[in-house]
Amino acid sequence: MTNYTKLPAILLLADGTVFYGKAAGKIGTTTGEICFNTGMTGYQEIFTDPSYFGQIMVTTNSHIGNYGIQKDEIESESIKIAGLVCKNYNIVYSRKQATESIQDYFQNDNLVAISDIDTRALVRHIRDKGAMNAIISSEITDLDELKQKLAEVPSMEGLELSSKVSTTEPYFYGNPDASLKVAALDLGIKKNILRSFENRDIYVQVFPAKTKFAEMEKFNPDGYFISNGPGDPSVMPYAVETIKEILAEDKPLFGICLGHQLLAEANDIGTMKMFNGHRGLNHPVKNIIKNHCEVTSQNHGFGVIPDEVRNSDKVEITHVNLNDKSIEGIRVKGKKAFSVQYHPESSPGPHDSRYLFDDFVDVMKGDLVW
């Protein structure tokens, strides 16, 4: 195990609020938009979720690292969060399947973190004041210098980030002899989405974020998938244009999270930056088509504008968040296209929404129409 010394560290928020704690992970400085996740487990999946690219994560669960790191439990090939804030940083772990400690993991992936923070007070502050930029440092102690560095960090609003986390080359996933084929636009796709397709006898070709529809069409897929990912959907015209072309050809289409927002944009429905967003494993959503409730896994800081969805003659609402009535799912009238804001692949999290992958299969087979 790598040597670890609890050096002093500082967390500074854009509104001037300061928290003092102890260094964790790599000694250094990092910046990003601070947000919090209410999940009680699955920290490794959170760290590697590309949708968190550019964000400093606050974990509300009090113990992080206690079950170590297992290489199979990743959603991408590297840590994607910009930094971590936690209360108890547990280097000694108690799971036999784990291969390394969280400290070794962070040092190997160059992640700067801070522990021994009153995360309850921090989360209450963010909840009341909204998402904002922040800086963590275990090497700079001068607050004026930290404020200067923080002032240079751009707002998440207006940032295009998907092309920074997307694959640079197309690749295949699954069994080439599968009964169905899906072309996936990688805007920050999670591995468990690909596993969910493979488990349903689907062969996937994954394409870089800025791939044109004509290129994806060469795969001759049965359907198209628009993935989750980071950043502001309103500054992604390349993806919106691809989706419009898919819709024009009346091809089956399924979108998750950012894919949901972009499907809305492609139907002249605007998106917005949320005050805090939804991040956790415990968000209740009502499927108003099937009249049942799902406990869902969510991670997003942007959403579709509810009034524009309600007033649209192009889409209909399929899912609604029971906490704040935000729009969690839509389907396009007269088309084979639908999307949800949350994560039905849910790793970690409940499996209440896995049926959406089965619905996509039925749409591609022609067994489900609306």
Side-chain angles (χ1 to χ4, degrees), residues 273-292:
K273 192 175 189 304
M274 302 175 74
F275 187 67
N276 264 318
H278 299 149
R279 298 176 181 92
L281 318 180
N282 47 5
H283 293 258
V285 168
K286 183 177 181 179
N287 181 325
I288 61 177
I289 304 298
K290 298 184 178 181
N291 195 33
H292 71 214

Side-chain angles (χ1 to χ4, degrees), residues 243-251 263 266-267 332 335 337:
I243 293 171
K244 286 182 176 180
E245 292 182 22
I246 296 171
L247 294 176
E249 294 294 325
D250 198 23
K251 301 291 186 179
L263 180 61
N267 285 278
V332 182
K335 300 290 182 180

Side-chain angles (χ1 to χ4, degrees), residues 15-26:
D15 66 358
T17 305
V18 181
F19 289 84
Y20 295 93
K22 300 294 184 181
K26 178 186 176 182

